[in-house]
PDB file of all heavy atoms in Angstrom:
ATOM      1  N   VAL A  92      30.807-117.317 120.043  1.00 97.00           N
ATOM      2  CA  VAL A  92      31.364-118.666 120.137  1.00 97.00           C
ATOM      3  C   VAL A  92      31.922-119.069 118.771  1.00 97.00           C
ATOM      4  O   VAL A  92      31.174-119.166 117.791  1.00 97.00           O
ATOM      5  CB  VAL A  92      30.296-119.681 120.598  1.00 97.00           C
ATOM      6  CG1 VAL A  92      30.866-121.099 120.597  1.00 97.00           C
ATOM      7  CG2 VAL A  92      29.790-119.318 121.990  1.00 97.00           C
ATOM      8  N   VAL A  93      33.223-119.271 118.697  1.00 97.00           N
ATOM      9  CA  VAL A  93      33.891-119.692 117.460  1.00 97.00           C
ATOM     10  C   VAL A  93      34.163-121.189 117.564  1.00 97.00           C
ATOM     11  O   VAL A  93      34.970-121.631 118.391  1.00 97.00           O
ATOM     12  CB  VAL A  93      35.207-118.918 117.248  1.00 97.00           C
ATOM     13  CG1 VAL A  93      35.924-119.420 115.989  1.00 97.00           C
ATOM     14  CG2 VAL A  93      34.932-117.422 117.139  1.00 97.00           C
ATOM     15  N   LEU A  94      33.478-121.974 116.748  1.00 96.00           N
ATOM     16  CA  LEU A  94      33.539-123.440 116.837  1.00 96.00           C
ATOM     17  C   LEU A  94      34.047-124.035 115.529  1.00 96.00           C
ATOM     18  O   LEU A  94      33.632-123.609 114.445  1.00 96.00           O
ATOM     19  CB  LEU A  94      32.150-123.999 117.157  1.00 96.00           C
ATOM     20  CG  LEU A  94      32.002-125.509 117.323  1.00 96.00           C
ATOM     21  CD1 LEU A  94      32.829-126.020 118.501  1.00 96.00           C
ATOM     22  CD2 LEU A  94      30.541-125.883 117.510  1.00 96.00           C
ATOM     23  N   ASN A  95      34.951-125.010 115.633  1.00 95.00           N
ATOM     24  CA  ASN A  95      35.412-125.698 114.416  1.00 95.00           C
ATOM     25  C   ASN A  95      34.267-126.481 113.791  1.00 95.00           C
ATOM     26  O   ASN A  95      33.314-126.872 114.466  1.00 95.00           O
ATOM     27  CB  ASN A  95      36.605-126.611 114.719  1.00 95.00           C
ATOM     28  CG  ASN A  95      36.311-127.638 115.796  1.00 95.00           C
ATOM     29  OD1 ASN A  95      35.778-127.319 116.853  1.00 95.00           O
ATOM     30  ND2 ASN A  95      36.669-128.903 115.534  1.00 95.00           N
ATOM     31  N   HIS A  96      34.370-126.722 112.489  1.00 92.00           N
ATOM     32  CA  HIS A  96      33.225-127.253 111.725  1.00 92.00           C
ATOM     33  C   HIS A  96      33.641-128.530 110.992  1.00 92.00           C
ATOM     34  O   HIS A  96      33.754-128.552 109.776  1.00 92.00           O
ATOM     35  CB  HIS A  96      32.761-126.190 110.732  1.00 92.00           C
ATOM     36  CG  HIS A  96      31.331-126.319 110.330  1.00 92.00           C
ATOM     37  ND1 HIS A  96      30.437-127.153 110.944  1.00 92.00           N
ATOM     38  CD2 HIS A  96      30.631-125.693 109.335  1.00 92.00           C
ATOM     39  CE1 HIS A  96      29.251-127.047 110.376  1.00 92.00           C
ATOM     40  NE2 HIS A  96      29.346-126.166 109.389  1.00 92.00           N
ATOM     41  N   LYS A  97      33.829-129.607 111.750  1.00 91.00           N
ATOM     42  CA  LYS A  97      34.326-130.844 111.162  1.00 91.00           C
ATOM     43  C   LYS A  97      33.339-132.002 111.264  1.00 91.00           C
ATOM     44  O   LYS A  97      33.380-132.928 110.457  1.00 91.00           O
ATOM     45  CB  LYS A  97      35.648-131.241 111.845  1.00 91.00           C
ATOM     46  CG  LYS A  97      36.311-132.462 111.230  1.00 91.00           C
ATOM     47  CD  LYS A  97      37.674-132.740 111.830  1.00 91.00           C
ATOM     48  CE  LYS A  97      38.345-133.927 111.142  1.00 91.00           C
ATOM     49  NZ  LYS A  97      39.697-134.198 111.684  1.00 91.00           N
ATOM     50  N   PHE A  98      32.453-131.971 112.247  1.00 92.00           N
ATOM     51  CA  PHE A  98      31.585-133.114 112.522  1.00 92.00           C
ATOM     52  C   PHE A  98      30.129-132.794 112.192  1.00 92.00           C
ATOM     53  O   PHE A  98      29.707-131.646 112.252  1.00 92.00           O
ATOM     54  CB  PHE A  98      31.705-133.516 113.995  1.00 92.00           C
ATOM     55  CG  PHE A  98      33.122-133.779 114.432  1.00 92.00           C
ATOM     56  CD1 PHE A  98      33.842-132.811 115.114  1.00 92.00           C
ATOM     57  CD2 PHE A  98      33.738-134.986 114.141  1.00 92.00           C
ATOM     58  CE1 PHE A  98      35.144-133.039 115.511  1.00 92.00           C
ATOM     59  CE2 PHE A  98      35.052-135.227 114.526  1.00 92.00           C
ATOM     60  CZ  PHE A  98      35.755-134.247 115.214  1.00 92.00           C
ATOM     61  N   GLU A  99      29.379-133.853 111.869  1.00 91.00           N
ATOM     62  CA  GLU A  99      27.978-133.663 111.505  1.00 91.00           C
ATOM     63  C   GLU A  99      27.148-133.097 112.645  1.00 91.00           C
ATOM     64  O   GLU A  99      26.141-132.426 112.416  1.00 91.00           O
ATOM     65  CB  GLU A  99      27.362-134.986 111.035  1.00 91.00           C
ATOM     66  CG  GLU A  99      27.846-135.426 109.664  1.00 91.00           C
ATOM     67  CD  GLU A  99      27.139-136.677 109.177  1.00 91.00           C
ATOM     68  OE1 GLU A  99      26.088-137.026 109.755  1.00 91.00           O
ATOM     69  OE2 GLU A  99      27.628-137.308 108.229  1.00 91.00           O
ATOM     70  N   ILE A 100      27.554-133.362 113.875  1.00 92.00           N
ATOM     71  CA  ILE A 100      26.748-132.898 115.006  1.00 92.00           C
ATOM     72  C   ILE A 100      27.432-131.769 115.773  1.00 92.00           C
ATOM     73  O   ILE A 100      27.069-131.500 116.922  1.00 92.00           O
ATOM     74  CB  ILE A 100      26.399-134.061 115.960  1.00 92.00           C
ATOM     75  CG1 ILE A 100      27.653-134.615 116.646  1.00 92.00           C
ATOM     76  CG2 ILE A 100      25.661-135.162 115.231  1.00 92.00           C
ATOM     77  CD1 ILE A 100      27.339-135.564 117.795  1.00 92.00           C
ATOM     78  N   ASP A 101      28.412-131.097 115.156  1.00 92.00           N
ATOM     79  CA  ASP A 101      29.086-130.033 115.913  1.00 92.00           C
ATOM     80  C   ASP A 101      28.119-128.908 116.265  1.00 92.00           C
ATOM     81  O   ASP A 101      28.236-128.284 117.322  1.00 92.00           O
ATOM     82  CB  ASP A 101      30.319-129.505 115.177  1.00 92.00           C
ATOM     83  CG  ASP A 101      30.090-129.185 113.722  1.00 92.00           C
ATOM     84  OD1 ASP A 101      28.955-128.833 113.359  1.00 92.00           O
ATOM     85  OD2 ASP A 101      31.050-129.283 112.938  1.00 92.00           O
ATOM     86  N   PHE A 102      27.123-128.649 115.388  1.00 91.00           N
ATOM     87  CA  PHE A 102      26.146-127.612 115.723  1.00 91.00           C
ATOM     88  C   PHE A 102      25.325-128.019 116.941  1.00 91.00           C
ATOM     89  O   PHE A 102      24.973-127.181 117.776  1.00 91.00           O
ATOM     90  CB  PHE A 102      25.229-127.334 114.523  1.00 91.00           C
ATOM     91  CG  PHE A 102      24.173-128.386 114.284  1.00 91.00           C
ATOM     92  CD1 PHE A 102      22.891-128.225 114.785  1.00 91.00           C
ATOM     93  CD2 PHE A 102      24.468-129.543 113.573  1.00 91.00           C
ATOM     94  CE1 PHE A 102      21.911-129.187 114.567  1.00 91.00           C
ATOM     95  CE2 PHE A 102      23.503-130.507 113.347  1.00 91.00           C
ATOM     96  CZ  PHE A 102      22.219-130.342 113.851  1.00 91.00           C
ATOM     97  N   LEU A 103      25.033-129.326 117.062  1.00 93.00           N
ATOM     98  CA  LEU A 103      24.294-129.806 118.227  1.00 93.00           C
ATOM     99  C   LEU A 103      25.125-129.661 119.499  1.00 93.00           C
ATOM    100  O   LEU A 103      24.595-129.353 120.572  1.00 93.00           O
ATOM    101  CB  LEU A 103      23.901-131.272 118.040  1.00 93.00           C
ATOM    102  CG  LEU A 103      22.501-131.571 117.505  1.00 93.00           C
ATOM    103  CD1 LEU A 103      22.246-133.071 117.477  1.00 93.00           C
ATOM    104  CD2 LEU A 103      21.440-130.870 118.323  1.00 93.00           C
ATOM    105  N   CYS A 104      26.415-129.895 119.395  1.00 95.00           N
ATOM    106  CA  CYS A 104      27.295-129.712 120.556  1.00 95.00           C
ATOM    107  C   CYS A 104      27.343-128.246 120.963  1.00 95.00           C
ATOM    108  O   CYS A 104      27.399-127.932 122.156  1.00 95.00           O
ATOM    109  CB  CYS A 104      28.699-130.241 120.245  1.00 95.00           C
ATOM    110  SG  CYS A 104      28.771-132.040 120.022  1.00 95.00           S
ATOM    111  N   GLY A 105      27.306-127.345 119.983  1.00 95.00           N
ATOM    112  CA  GLY A 105      27.242-125.925 120.285  1.00 95.00           C
ATOM    113  C   GLY A 105      25.948-125.556 120.989  1.00 95.00           C
ATOM    114  O   GLY A 105      25.937-124.777 121.949  1.00 95.00           O
ATOM    115  N   TRP A 106      24.832-126.145 120.516  1.00 95.00           N
ATOM    116  CA  TRP A 106      23.539-125.906 121.167  1.00 95.00           C
ATOM    117  C   TRP A 106      23.528-126.499 122.571  1.00 95.00           C
ATOM    118  O   TRP A 106      22.947-125.929 123.491  1.00 95.00           O
ATOM    119  CB  TRP A 106      22.414-126.512 120.334  1.00 95.00           C
ATOM    120  CG  TRP A 106      22.101-125.761 119.082  1.00 95.00           C
ATOM    121  CD1 TRP A 106      22.860-124.776 118.508  1.00 95.00           C
ATOM    122  CD2 TRP A 106      20.968-125.932 118.236  1.00 95.00           C
ATOM    123  NE1 TRP A 106      22.264-124.341 117.345  1.00 95.00           N
ATOM    124  CE2 TRP A 106      21.110-125.029 117.155  1.00 95.00           C
ATOM    125  CE3 TRP A 106      19.858-126.768 118.263  1.00 95.00           C
ATOM    126  CZ2 TRP A 106      20.161-124.921 116.134  1.00 95.00           C
ATOM    127  CZ3 TRP A 106      18.915-126.675 117.249  1.00 95.00           C
ATOM    128  CH2 TRP A 106      19.062-125.762 116.195  1.00 95.00           C
ATOM    129  N   SER A 107      24.156-127.664 122.719  1.00 96.00           N
ATOM    130  CA  SER A 107      24.222-128.295 124.039  1.00 96.00           C
ATOM    131  C   SER A 107      25.010-127.422 125.010  1.00 96.00           C
ATOM    132  O   SER A 107      24.642-127.291 126.186  1.00 96.00           O
ATOM    133  CB  SER A 107      24.866-129.686 123.927  1.00 96.00           C
ATOM    134  OG  SER A 107      25.001-130.282 125.201  1.00 96.00           O
ATOM    135  N   LEU A 108      26.098-126.816 124.523  1.00 96.00           N
ATOM    136  CA  LEU A 108      26.872-125.906 125.363  1.00 96.00           C
ATOM    137  C   LEU A 108      25.993-124.752 125.833  1.00 96.00           C
ATOM    138  O   LEU A 108      25.996-124.391 127.027  1.00 96.00           O
ATOM    139  CB  LEU A 108      28.068-125.372 124.580  1.00 96.00           C
ATOM    140  CG  LEU A 108      28.962-124.362 125.310  1.00 96.00           C
ATOM    141  CD1 LEU A 108      29.760-125.051 126.419  1.00 96.00           C
ATOM    142  CD2 LEU A 108      29.916-123.667 124.327  1.00 96.00           C
ATOM    143  N   ALA A 109      25.215-124.175 124.908  1.00 97.00           N
ATOM    144  CA  ALA A 109      24.322-123.075 125.271  1.00 97.00           C
ATOM    145  C   ALA A 109      23.258-123.538 126.263  1.00 97.00           C
ATOM    146  O   ALA A 109      22.923-122.815 127.215  1.00 97.00           O
ATOM    147  CB  ALA A 109      23.666-122.509 124.015  1.00 97.00           C
ATOM    148  N   GLU A 110      22.741-124.739 126.079  1.00 97.00           N
ATOM    149  CA  GLU A 110      21.717-125.271 126.982  1.00 97.00           C
ATOM    150  C   GLU A 110      22.270-125.514 128.375  1.00 97.00           C
ATOM    151  O   GLU A 110      21.620-125.177 129.379  1.00 97.00           O
ATOM    152  CB  GLU A 110      21.153-126.573 126.401  1.00 97.00           C
ATOM    153  CG  GLU A 110      20.376-127.446 127.374  1.00 97.00           C
ATOM    154  CD  GLU A 110      19.178-126.751 128.012  1.00 97.00           C
ATOM    155  OE1 GLU A 110      18.673-125.758 127.446  1.00 97.00           O
ATOM    156  OE2 GLU A 110      18.761-127.184 129.097  1.00 97.00           O
ATOM    157  N   ARG A 111      23.461-126.075 128.466  1.00 96.00           N
ATOM    158  CA  ARG A 111      24.041-126.367 129.779  1.00 96.00           C
ATOM    159  C   ARG A 111      24.218-125.096 130.612  1.00 96.00           C
ATOM    160  O   ARG A 111      24.179-125.149 131.839  1.00 96.00           O
ATOM    161  CB  ARG A 111      25.395-127.067 129.620  1.00 96.00           C
ATOM    162  CG  ARG A 111      25.333-128.452 128.949  1.00 96.00           C
ATOM    163  CD  ARG A 111      24.769-129.518 129.849  1.00 96.00           C
ATOM    164  NE  ARG A 111      24.628-130.802 129.169  1.00 96.00           N
ATOM    165  CZ  ARG A 111      25.360-131.870 129.430  1.00 96.00           C
ATOM    166  NH1 ARG A 111      26.321-131.815 130.347  1.00 96.00           N
ATOM    167  NH2 ARG A 111      25.145-133.004 128.790  1.00 96.00           N
ATOM    168  N   PHE A 112      24.403-123.959 129.926  1.00 97.00           N
ATOM    169  CA  PHE A 112      24.593-122.704 130.646  1.00 97.00           C
ATOM    170  C   PHE A 112      23.360-121.797 130.571  1.00 97.00           C
ATOM    171  O   PHE A 112      23.437-120.608 130.888  1.00 97.00           O
ATOM    172  CB  PHE A 112      25.836-121.986 130.122  1.00 97.00           C
ATOM    173  CG  PHE A 112      27.111-122.720 130.434  1.00 97.00           C
ATOM    174  CD1 PHE A 112      27.778-123.446 129.461  1.00 97.00           C
ATOM    175  CD2 PHE A 112      27.610-122.725 131.731  1.00 97.00           C
ATOM    176  CE1 PHE A 112      28.939-124.147 129.764  1.00 97.00           C
ATOM    177  CE2 PHE A 112      28.771-123.426 132.039  1.00 97.00           C
ATOM    178  CZ  PHE A 112      29.435-124.135 131.059  1.00 97.00           C
ATOM    179  N   GLY A 113      22.230-122.365 130.139  1.00 96.00           N
ATOM    180  CA  GLY A 113      20.944-121.687 130.252  1.00 96.00           C
ATOM    181  C   GLY A 113      20.664-120.574 129.272  1.00 96.00           C
ATOM    182  O   GLY A 113      19.829-119.709 129.547  1.00 96.00           O
ATOM    183  N   VAL A 114      21.325-120.590 128.096  1.00 96.00           N
ATOM    184  CA  VAL A 114      21.111-119.500 127.138  1.00 96.00           C
ATOM    185  C   VAL A 114      20.676-120.015 125.762  1.00 96.00           C
ATOM    186  O   VAL A 114      20.779-119.284 124.773  1.00 96.00           O
ATOM    187  CB  VAL A 114      22.381-118.627 126.997  1.00 96.00           C
ATOM    188  CG1 VAL A 114      22.687-117.913 128.304  1.00 96.00           C
ATOM    189  CG2 VAL A 114      23.579-119.448 126.541  1.00 96.00           C
ATOM    190  N   LEU A 115      20.169-121.243 125.690  1.00 97.00           N
ATOM    191  CA  LEU A 115      19.819-121.817 124.395  1.00 97.00           C
ATOM    192  C   LEU A 115      18.709-121.038 123.702  1.00 97.00           C
ATOM    193  O   LEU A 115      18.779-120.787 122.491  1.00 97.00           O
ATOM    194  CB  LEU A 115      19.401-123.282 124.567  1.00 97.00           C
ATOM    195  CG  LEU A 115      18.922-123.998 123.291  1.00 97.00           C
ATOM    196  CD1 LEU A 115      20.030-124.037 122.251  1.00 97.00           C
ATOM    197  CD2 LEU A 115      18.447-125.419 123.610  1.00 97.00           C
ATOM    198  N   GLY A 116      17.681-120.645 124.435  1.00 95.00           N
ATOM    199  CA  GLY A 116      16.538-119.973 123.818  1.00 95.00           C
ATOM    200  C   GLY A 116      16.895-118.692 123.104  1.00 95.00           C
ATOM    201  O   GLY A 116      16.345-118.384 122.038  1.00 95.00           O
ATOM    202  N   GLY A 117      17.825-117.928 123.657  1.00 94.00           N
ATOM    203  CA  GLY A 117      18.181-116.657 123.055  1.00 94.00           C
ATOM    204  C   GLY A 117      19.378-116.696 122.145  1.00 94.00           C
ATOM    205  O   GLY A 117      19.718-115.677 121.531  1.00 94.00           O
ATOM    206  N   SER A 118      20.045-117.829 122.046  1.00 94.00           N
ATOM    207  CA  SER A 118      21.294-117.892 121.293  1.00 94.00           C
ATOM    208  C   SER A 118      21.078-117.749 119.793  1.00 94.00           C
ATOM    209  O   SER A 118      20.009-118.076 119.266  1.00 94.00           O
ATOM    210  CB  SER A 118      22.038-119.189 121.611  1.00 94.00           C
ATOM    211  OG  SER A 118      22.564-119.127 122.926  1.00 94.00           O
ATOM    212  N   LYS A 119      22.105-117.265 119.122  1.00 94.00           N
ATOM    213  CA  LYS A 119      22.031-116.921 117.698  1.00 94.00           C
ATOM    214  C   LYS A 119      23.100-117.667 116.912  1.00 94.00           C
ATOM    215  O   LYS A 119      24.089-118.147 117.457  1.00 94.00           O
ATOM    216  CB  LYS A 119      22.232-115.415 117.486  1.00 94.00           C
ATOM    217  CG  LYS A 119      21.452-114.520 118.430  1.00 94.00           C
ATOM    218  CD  LYS A 119      19.968-114.669 118.266  1.00 94.00           C
ATOM    219  CE  LYS A 119      19.220-113.812 119.277  1.00 94.00           C
ATOM    220  NZ  LYS A 119      17.780-114.109 119.283  1.00 94.00           N
ATOM    221  N   VAL A 120      22.888-117.742 115.605  1.00 91.00           N
ATOM    222  CA  VAL A 120      23.915-118.271 114.704  1.00 91.00           C
ATOM    223  C   VAL A 120      23.983-117.363 113.479  1.00 91.00           C
ATOM    224  O   VAL A 120      23.043-116.624 113.179  1.00 91.00           O
ATOM    225  CB  VAL A 120      23.609-119.719 114.242  1.00 91.00           C
ATOM    226  CG1 VAL A 120      23.600-120.672 115.409  1.00 91.00           C
ATOM    227  CG2 VAL A 120      22.281-119.783 113.482  1.00 91.00           C
ATOM    228  N   LEU A 121      25.100-117.415 112.795  1.00 88.00           N
ATOM    229  CA  LEU A 121      25.228-116.793 111.486  1.00 88.00           C
ATOM    230  C   LEU A 121      24.936-117.883 110.472  1.00 88.00           C
ATOM    231  O   LEU A 121      25.726-118.817 110.311  1.00 88.00           O
ATOM    232  CB  LEU A 121      26.635-116.220 111.294  1.00 88.00           C
ATOM    233  CG  LEU A 121      26.900-115.491 109.971  1.00 88.00           C
ATOM    234  CD1 LEU A 121      25.989-114.278 109.829  1.00 88.00           C
ATOM    235  CD2 LEU A 121      28.358-115.060 109.886  1.00 88.00           C
ATOM    236  N   ALA A 122      23.775-117.802 109.798  1.00 86.00           N
ATOM    237  CA  ALA A 122      23.286-118.902 108.972  1.00 86.00           C
ATOM    238  C   ALA A 122      23.054-118.461 107.530  1.00 86.00           C
ATOM    239  O   ALA A 122      22.884-117.264 107.242  1.00 86.00           O
ATOM    240  CB  ALA A 122      21.984-119.448 109.556  1.00 86.00           C
ATOM    241  N   LYS A 123      23.048-119.438 106.638  1.00 84.00           N
ATOM    242  CA  LYS A 123      22.755-119.165 105.236  1.00 84.00           C
ATOM    243  C   LYS A 123      21.326-118.647 105.087  1.00 84.00           C
ATOM    244  O   LYS A 123      20.408-119.145 105.731  1.00 84.00           O
ATOM    245  CB  LYS A 123      22.937-120.427 104.393  1.00 84.00           C
ATOM    246  CG  LYS A 123      24.358-120.921 104.307  1.00 84.00           C
ATOM    247  CD  LYS A 123      24.465-122.134 103.399  1.00 84.00           C
ATOM    248  CE  LYS A 123      23.740-123.342 103.982  1.00 84.00           C
ATOM    249  NZ  LYS A 123      23.964-124.553 103.156  1.00 84.00           N
TER     250      LYS A 123
END
Side-chain angles (χ1 to χ4, degrees):
V92 176
V93 177
L94 181 63
N95 57 312
H96 205 11
K97 185 174 183 178
F98 306 99
E99 287 185 16
I100 66 168
D101 48 29
F102 76 96
L103 264 184
C104 293
W106 287 13
S107 177
L108 178 71
E110 164 58 22
R111 296 286 176 111
F112 293 104
V114 295
L115 177 61
S118 288
K119 315 297 177 189
V120 297
L121 182 62
K123 294 183 293 186

